[in-house]
C-alpha cells in the first residue's frame, strides 16, 4: 500500500532545515511569503514550552532546537572584530576545533580612527561572510559605548568619545554584517562606560546626557541600520538593571524608536524573573550550566501557567526572536559565506592602514627611504607580541597575525640590516635596556614599538580598568634612553586608548599610533613607515596631558562611591569638556597629520528649502598642495550662540574623508539637517531646534578650525517621538 505524504510529513536531515513536499509546505517555511506572516504562522504552531525554550540559552552560545518544526539550534558569537573561537559548550574553554580560525580585524577604536563609514561597511560584510561560513546567526557587535574615561578596559572595542562619529561608523558596520544574512547585535545598552564594578555599578546621569551622548549610536543602529538585536548591559541606570529596565527597553528602544528585533542580556546580566518577563528582555544568556534555572526558563513558564505573567508578553518575545531567525535564514538557504579569504585579509589591512594616526613628524623624518637607510633597530616587546588573542570576549583565533617586526622585516628587504631588541617588558632588567640602547646607537634609525597590551596588568581587556595613563614596564625610560642614543628615533604606539607621553614626546621626532591593528597590522605599520601608504587616520578621542584633565577624573566622578557613579560632567564628555572648559589636550579629538598638506578654501553655506531635506549644506574646496597622494578628513562642528539650556562649545555634526592626488582639488558638500542644530529638552520631551544664531565651523580637527560661518535658524521646531 502506498502511503501519501500528509501536510505535516517532513524529511529532516541532520543539521539541516526540513525538506517538505512543495504542495504541503507550511507557510513559515515558504521564503516567498512576507516575514511577519511567517512569524505568525510559526508562532501559532509552538507550544508554551517551546516558546519559552526560545527565550533562554541551552548552552553558553546557543538556544534550543525544535526538531518537530525543523527549527535548528541557533548560534550566537562574539565579537566585534571577527568571529570568535568556538568554546564550550558549557565553559569558556576552547572547543579544540581546527575549523574556527578567522580573519582578525583591527579593534573598534581603530575602525573609528579611519572616519570612513564605507570602510566600516566593508569590514562588516567580511565579518558577516565569515559568520555565515561558521554557522553563526547573531554576531555580538558592534560595541558602541562612549569613552567616558580613558581608563575603561574596553575602550579599544568602542569607537571613541563622540556619539555622531560612533553613529556613522556603526551604521556602516551593521549594514555590512546584516547584508550577509547575519544579525548584528549593538552593545552594551547603555552607559556601560567602565569595567570596574561593571556587574553592580549604578549609573546616575541626567536625561540630556543619556539622550545626547550615550544613546545616539544605538538609536542610529535601530532607525538607520535596522539592527536586528541589541544587547543589554550589566550595569544599572538609575537603580534599575539595564537587562530588565522598562524605561530603556520598553519605553525608549521599543516604544520611541520602534525597535522590532530582540533584546539579549549580556551574559548573566539578568537578576529576576518578574523584572525580565515584564521589562523588555527577549533572550536571556548566561554562564551557569543549569539552563532550566535561568530566570526566563522554568520559573517563567510556571509563572505563565499560574497567570502571573501574560501570554501576550511571551508571544511578543517569541515574535522578536523569530523575526531574527527568519532574517538570518534559519529556515531556508541564505548566503553561503566565506572564511579567511584574501579579500577579507585585504579589508583588514586597509582598515589598519587608514586607522594609523601620525601624531608627530618633525623635519619629515617619516616616511623612511629604504634606499638611503642601511640599518634599523626595532625595539620593544610589542614588536613581537601577538594581540589578536587578547581582550577576552573580543579575542580572535586568527589564521595568522603579522607582528610589527615581521612587517618591517618584509618591507625593508635585503637592503636594510634590521636588528631586534626587547628593551623592556613585564620581566624587565637593566641589561635588556642597555642592549636596546646599544642597538639604537649603531643603527641609522631606531623604531620603538611601545604601548599597552591586553593583559590584566595593563587593563586593556574586558573585566578590568587601567590604573593610570602611564606606559607599563618602564617604557618611558626605554624611549628616553633610545632617543638619547639615536636622534632619529620613531615611536610606534600599540594601544586602544590614550596614554601619557610627557616624559619623551618633546624630544622624539616622530610618533605614530597604530592601535590594535588586526592580523595585517604589521604590514600596515610597515607600509606607513616606508611611505607606501600615507597616514590618514584621525583621533576618535581626546588624548589628555594627564588623567586629571579628563572630565570624569577632574570632577572626581570615577569609579563611584558606595556602588554608584555620578556622571557629574553631563554633556561635557571628551572634547566637549576640553573645549568648553578651555583645557589644553595633549592631542585633540579629530587630530592626525599626513605626509602631504591640504588647504581649504571657497567656503559657502547653501540654505535649502524644507522639502529638500537638509536645512543647509556646507560647501568648500580642499586641495592637496603636497607632493604625495593622501586623504583628508574634513570635520563640521556646530555651536549655538544663545541656547535656552547650556550646550557644549561645539559638537561634531558632519565629516567626510576625501582622497586626493598631489595637486588635486575637490569640492566638498556636507549637509546638515535639523538634528545638527537640536538638543534634547527634558521638559518638552523631545529634540528642540531653537530659532536663532549658530556658528558652523569647518576644521581639520576640533582644535584646527579653518573657517567659521554664521547661520540663522528661522523657526523653532520640536521633534517628539511618534508611537
Amino acid at each position: 500500500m502506498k502511503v501519501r505524504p500528509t501536510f505535516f510529513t517532513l524529511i529532516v536531515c541532520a543539521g539541516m532545515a526540513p525538506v517538505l513536499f512543495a504542495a504541503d509546505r507550511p507557510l513559515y517555511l515558504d521564503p516567498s511569503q512576507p516575514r511577519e506572516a511567517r512569524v505568525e504562522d510559526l508562532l501559532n504552531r509552538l507550544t508554551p514550552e517551546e516558546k519559552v525554550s526560545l527565550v533562554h540559552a541551552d548552552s553558553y552560545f546557543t538556544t534550543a532546537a525544535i526538531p518537530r518544526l525543523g527549527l535548528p539550534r541557533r548560534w550566537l558569537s562574539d565579537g566585534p572584530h571577527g568571529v570568535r573561537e568556538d568554546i564550550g559548550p558549557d565553559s569558556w574553554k576552547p572547543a579544540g576545533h581546527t575549523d574556527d580560525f578567522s580573519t582578525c580585524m583591527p579593534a573598534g577604536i581603530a575602525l573609528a580612527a579611519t572616519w570612513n563609514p564605507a570602510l566600516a561597511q566593508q569590514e562588516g560584510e567580511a565579518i558577516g561572510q565569515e559568520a555565515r561560513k561558521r554557522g553563526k546567526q547573531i554576531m555580538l557587535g558592534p560595541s558602541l559605548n562612549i569613552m567616558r574615561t580613558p581608563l575603561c578596559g574596553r575602550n579599544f572595542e568602542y569607537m571613541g568619545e563622540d556619539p555622531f562619529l560612533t553613529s556613522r561608523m556603526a551604521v556602516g558596520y551593521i549594514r555590512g554584517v546584516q547584508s550577509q544574512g547575519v544579525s548584528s547585535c549593538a552593545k552594551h545598552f547603555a552607559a556601560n562606560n567602565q569595567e570596574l564594578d561593571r556587574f553592580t555599578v549604578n549609573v546616575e546621569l541626567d536625561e540630556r546626557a543619556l539622550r545626547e551622548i550615550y544613546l545616539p549610536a544605538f538609536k542610529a543602529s535601530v532607525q538607520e541600520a535596522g539592527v536586528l538585536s541589541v544587547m543589554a548591559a550589566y550595569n544599572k541606570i538609575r537603580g534599575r538593571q539595564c537587562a530588565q529596565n522598562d524605561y530603556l527597553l520598553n519605553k525608549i528602544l521599543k516604544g520611541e524608536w520602534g525597535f522590532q528585533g530582540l533584546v539579549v542580556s549580556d551574559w548573566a546580566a539578568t537578576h529576576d524573573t518578574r523584572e525580565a518577563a515584564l521589562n523588555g528582555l527577549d533572550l536571556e544568556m548566561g554562564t551557569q550550566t543549569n539552563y532550566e534555572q535561568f530566570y526566563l526558563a522554568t520559573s517563567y513558564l510556571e509563572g505563565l501557567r499560574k497567570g502571573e505573567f501574560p501570554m501576550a508578553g511571551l508571544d511578543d518575545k517569541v515574535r522578536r526572536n523569530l523575526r531574527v531567525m527568519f532574517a538570518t535564514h534559519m529556515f531556508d538557504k541564505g548566503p553561503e559565506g566565506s572564511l579567511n579569504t584574501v579579500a577579507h585579509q585585504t579589508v583588514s589591512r586597509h582598515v589598519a592602514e587608514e586607522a594609523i594616526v601620525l601624531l608627530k613628524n618633525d623635519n619629515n623624518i617619516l616616511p623612511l627611504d629604504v634606499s638611503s637607510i642601511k640599518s634599523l633597530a626595532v625595539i620593544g616587546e610589542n614588536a613581537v607580541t601577538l594581540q589578536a588573542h587578547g581582550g577576552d570576549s573580543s579575542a580572535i583565533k586568527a589564521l595568522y597575525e603579522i607582528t610589527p617586526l615581521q612587517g618591517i622585516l618584509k618591507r625593508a628587504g635585503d637592503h636594510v640590516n634590521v636588528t631586534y631588541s626587547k628593551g623592556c617588558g613585564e620581566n624587565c632588567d637593566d641589561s635588556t635596556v642597555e642592549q636596546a640602547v646599544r642597538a639604537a646607537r649603531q643603527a641609522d634609525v631606531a623604531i620603538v614599538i611601545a604601548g599597552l597590551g591586553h593583559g590584566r596588568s595593563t587593563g586593556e581587556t574586558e573585566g578590568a580598568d587601567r590604573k593610570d595613563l602611564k606606559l607599563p614596564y618602564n617604557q618611558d625610560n626605554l624611549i628616553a634612553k633610545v632617543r638619547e642614543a639615536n636622534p632619529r628615533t620613531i615611536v610606534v604606539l600599540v594601544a586602544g586608548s590614550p596614554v601619557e607621553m610627557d616624559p619623551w614626546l618633546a624630544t622624539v621626532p616622530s610618533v605614530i599610533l597604530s592601535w590594535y591593528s588586526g592580523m595585517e597590522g604589521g604590514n600596515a605599520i610597515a607600509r606607513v613607515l616606508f611611505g607606501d601608504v600615507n597616514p590618514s587616520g584621525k583621533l576618535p578621542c581626546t588624548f589628555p596631558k594627564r588623567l586629571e584633565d579628563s572630565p570624569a577624573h577632574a570632577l572626581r566622578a570615577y569609579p563611584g562611591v558606595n556602588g554608584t557613579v555620578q556622571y557629574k560632567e553631563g554633556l561635557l564628555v571628551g572634547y566637549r569638556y576640553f573645549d568648553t572648559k578651555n583645557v589644553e589636550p595633549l592631542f585633540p579629538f579629530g587630530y592626525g597629520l599626513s605626509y602631504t598638506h591640504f588647504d581649504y578654501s571657497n567656503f559657502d553655506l547653501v540654505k535649502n528649502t524644507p522639502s529638500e531635506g537638509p536645512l543647509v549644506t556646507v560647501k568648500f574646496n580642499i586641495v592637496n598642495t603636497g607632493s604625495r597622494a593622501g586623504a583628508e578628513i574634513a570635520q563640521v562642528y556646530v555651536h549655538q550662540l544663545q541656547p535656552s539650556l547650556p550646550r557644549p562649545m561645539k559638537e561634531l555634526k558632519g565629516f567626510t574623508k576625501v582622497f586626493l592626488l598631489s595637486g588635486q582639488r575637490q569640492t566638498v558638500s556636507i549637509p546638515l539637517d535639523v538634528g545638527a542644530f537640536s538638543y534634547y529638552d527634558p521638559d518638552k520631551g523631545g529634540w528642540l531646534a531653537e530659532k536663532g544664531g549658530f556658528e558652523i565651523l569647518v576644521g581639520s580637527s576640533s582644535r584646527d578650525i579653518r573657517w567659521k560661518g554664521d547661520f540663522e535658524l528661522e523657526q523653532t521646531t520640536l521633534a517628539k517621538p511618534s508611537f
Side-chain angles (χ1 to χ4, degrees):
M1 174 176 162
K2 184 178 292 186
V3 179
R4 298 182 63 83
T6 66
F7 183 78
F8 292 105
T9 301
L10 306 177
I11 301 174
V12 183
C13 299
M16 297 179 60
V19 179
L20 288 87
F21 294 94
D24 297 331
R25 184 166 54 181
L27 186 150
Y28 76 90
L29 289 176
D30 185 352
S32 69
Q33 296 295 321
R35 184 175 298 167
E36 285 302 302
R38 299 176 72 191
V39 167
E40 291 302 315
D41 182 63
L42 181 51
L43 178 70
N44 291 330
R45 299 172 188 272
L46 293 167
T47 67
E49 293 79 7
E50 289 168 338
K51 290 177 181 179
V52 170
S53 76
L54 296 180
V55 300
H56 70 85
D58 77 332
S59 84
Y60 271 26
F61 277 96
T62 63
T63 60
I66 304 177
R68 77 173 186 90
L69 294 173
L71 195 159
R73 209 175 194 191
R74 171 175 44 171
W75 288 85
L76 299 83
S77 176
D78 289 316
H81 311 141
V83 189
R84 184 179 181 166
E85 176 181 18
D86 289 335
I87 64 162
D90 301 321
S91 77
W92 294 110
K93 295 180 180 179
H97 296 166
T98 58
D99 60 352
D100 56 350
F101 292 92
S102 294
T103 300
C104 178
M105 297 293 175
I109 192 76
L111 180 63
T114 71
W115 294 60
N116 189 340
L119 190 56
Q121 184 160 339
Q122 292 177 33
E123 177 178 314
E125 289 171 356
I127 291 174
Q129 288 164 9
E130 300 215 342
R132 290 295 310 179
K133 194 66 174 180
R134 292 270 305 276
K136 315 300 184 183
Q137 284 80 42
I138 299 178
M139 285 300 298
L140 303 176
S143 300
L144 303 180
N145 297 113
I146 295 297
M147 186 187 291
R148 176 181 180 254
T149 164
L151 299 184
C152 177
R154 295 181 83 170
N155 280 335
F156 72 95
E157 276 189 53
Y158 303 149
M159 297 187 184
E161 69 191 28
D162 183 73
F164 183 82
L165 174 60
T166 301
S167 298
R168 297 304 93 214
M169 301 305 292
V171 168
Y173 178 103
I174 292 166
R175 286 174 174 169
V177 172
Q178 296 193 166
S179 71
Q180 305 305 308
V182 174
S183 168
S184 266
C185 182
K187 65 181 189 181
H188 310 85
F189 191 66
N192 183 178
N193 306 114
Q194 63 188 67
E195 290 299 285
L196 184 62
D197 300 327
R198 63 175 176 158
F199 297 111
T200 58
V201 69
N202 175 45
V203 173
E204 292 290 339
L205 76 170
D206 65 69
E207 192 69 9
R208 288 190 66 198
L210 178 67
R211 299 281 187 155
E212 296 186 38
I213 303 296
Y214 300 103
L215 294 189
F218 291 99
K219 183 179 181 181
S221 298
V222 171
Q223 296 191 333
E224 296 182 53
V227 73
L228 291 166
S229 55
V230 171
M231 182 190 291
Y234 282 123
N235 54 284
K236 302 173 186 174
I237 289 183
R238 299 169 186 159
R240 304 297 297 270
Q241 295 285 347
C242 287
Q244 45 200 46
N245 192 305
D246 178 64
Y247 185 60
L248 280 181
L249 304 183
N250 286 335
K251 290 185 171 59
I252 295 178
L253 179 63
K254 296 178 179 179
E256 293 183 19
W257 299 350
F259 178 62
Q260 295 295 304
L262 69 86
V263 175
V264 58
S265 71
D266 207 336
W267 269 231
T270 314
H271 298 272
D272 181 84
T273 295
R274 175 170 291 276
E275 294 288 308
L278 300 178
N279 293 330
L281 187 65
D282 303 308
L283 176 57
E284 180 186 2
M285 302 300 292
T287 54
Q288 69 173 24
T289 56
N290 191 337
Y291 303 103
E292 289 304 315
Q293 290 185 0
F294 276 30
Y295 295 102
L296 288 183
T298 301
S299 60
Y300 183 36
L301 182 60
E302 291 173 351
L304 289 160
R305 287 169 174 166
K306 294 176 183 177
E308 295 174 355
F309 310 125
M311 286 297 300
L314 173 61
D315 285 349
D316 180 68
K317 297 179 192 299
V318 175
R319 282 190 185 94
R320 292 173 178 278
N321 279 273
L322 293 179
R323 286 182 189 125
V324 178
M325 291 179 178
F326 284 116
T328 56
H329 303 281
M330 290 187 66
F331 299 92
D332 55 74
K333 183 175 175 58
E336 183 177 345
S338 55
L339 190 63
N340 292 314
T341 66
V342 172
H344 296 171
Q345 295 156 12
T346 300
V347 169
S348 181
R349 194 190 79 238
H350 284 169
V351 174
E353 290 170 352
E354 287 198 33
I356 289 174
V357 181
L358 180 62
L359 295 175
K360 185 178 181 181
N361 196 29
D362 289 353
N363 301 317
N364 296 320
I365 189 174
L366 288 178
L368 300 175
D369 183 356
V370 71
S371 66
S372 63
I373 295 173
K374 303 300 181 185
S375 59
L376 280 175
V378 178
I379 298 164
E381 192 169 52
N382 269 342
V384 296
T385 299
L386 298 176
Q387 304 287 356
H389 67 287
D392 209 350
S393 65
S394 64
I396 301 297
K397 185 178 176 180
L399 182 65
Y400 63 84
E401 183 178 354
I402 305 298
T403 65
L405 178 61
Q406 289 172 330
I408 291 168
L409 283 168
K410 178 182 176 182
R411 180 58 182 84
D414 298 332
H415 303 291
V416 181
N417 179 40
V418 179
T419 62
Y420 170 69
S421 301
K422 177 180 177 180
C424 60
E426 189 169 0
N427 300 309
C428 175
D429 60 64
D430 292 339
S431 64
T432 58
V433 173
E434 290 307 314
Q435 181 183 19
V437 170
R438 287 195 299 272
R441 188 177 291 117
Q442 296 167 7
D444 293 336
V445 175
I447 303 174
V448 182
I449 315 292
L452 304 176
H454 288 308
R456 293 274 166 176
S457 58
T458 64
E460 292 254 281
T461 185
E462 180 179 3
D465 285 351
R466 293 162 63 197
K467 300 295 190 289
D468 52 46
L469 297 185
K470 300 182 184 303
L471 294 178
Y473 316 136
N474 208 22
Q475 291 179 91
D476 288 331
N477 177 62
L478 173 68
I479 295 170
K481 287 191 172 183
V482 169
R483 165 60 183 85
E484 185 178 350
N486 190 329
R488 300 188 70 192
T489 293
I490 298 158
V491 175
V492 177
L493 288 172
V494 177
S497 51
V499 297
E500 287 182 2
M501 306 181 204
D502 278 348
W504 46 265
L505 181 61
T507 60
V508 170
S510 187
V511 182
I512 72 170
L513 177 60
S514 71
W515 313 102
Y516 299 110
S517 48
M519 65 192 300
E520 281 283 329
N523 286 333
I525 290 168
R527 284 166 61 81
V528 168
L529 288 172
F530 288 96
D532 306 316
V533 170
N534 192 341
S536 62
K538 297 206 174 187
L539 294 178
C541 57
T542 303
F543 272 49
K545 289 185 175 179
R546 55 186 192 141
L547 180 61
E548 294 79 10
D549 290 340
S550 293
H553 300 271
L555 299 174
R556 297 182 179 178
Y558 166 91
V561 178
N562 296 326
T564 293
V565 57
Q566 301 278 350
Y567 282 23
K568 297 178 183 178
E569 70 281 0
L571 300 173
L572 301 184
V573 176
Y575 71 90
R576 288 167 167 80
Y577 174 86
F578 283 82
D579 291 350
T580 303
K581 300 297 185 181
N582 197 26
V583 177
E584 187 68 24
L586 183 65
F587 293 106
F589 174 82
Y591 172 89
L593 303 176
S594 171
Y595 295 155
T596 189
H597 301 281
F598 301 95
D599 286 344
Y600 292 62
S601 62
N602 296 338
F603 298 94
D604 193 16
L605 296 178
V606 180
K607 290 187 177 181
N608 303 308
T609 61
S611 62
E612 293 177 334
L615 297 180
V616 62
T617 299
V618 187
K619 289 191 173 183
F620 51 94
N621 291 340
I622 298 179
V623 59
N624 181 349
T625 59
S627 60
R628 293 174 176 268
E632 169 68 336
I633 299 164
Q635 303 155 42
V636 173
Y637 297 84
V638 171
H639 167 60
Q640 186 172 354
L641 298 178
Q642 294 182 322
S644 297
L645 295 178
R647 300 191 69 177
M649 181 62 67
K650 59 176 173 287
E651 299 170 280
L652 181 73
K653 296 298 180 181
F655 64 87
T656 190
K657 190 165 192 175
V658 182
F659 295 84
L660 298 172
L661 300 175
S662 174
Q664 187 177 8
R665 179 188 306 270
Q666 184 170 323
T667 298
V668 172
S669 297
I670 299 178
L672 300 177
D673 62 16
V674 67
F677 302 94
S678 303
Y679 64 88
Y680 191 82
D681 188 323
D683 292 336
K684 293 181 171 60
W687 292 87
L688 184 67
E690 291 182 300
K691 176 182 178 180
F694 292 80
E695 279 186 336
I696 296 177
L697 304 89
V698 178
S700 183
S701 81
S702 61
R703 290 284 177 115
D704 182 8
I705 301 302
R706 305 295 179 91
W707 179 79
K708 296 181 181 180
D710 295 325
F711 176 72
E712 191 77 15
L713 196 58
E714 297 177 354
Q715 63 180 7
T716 296
T717 59
L718 178 67
K720 299 185 72 171
S722 56
F723 299 94

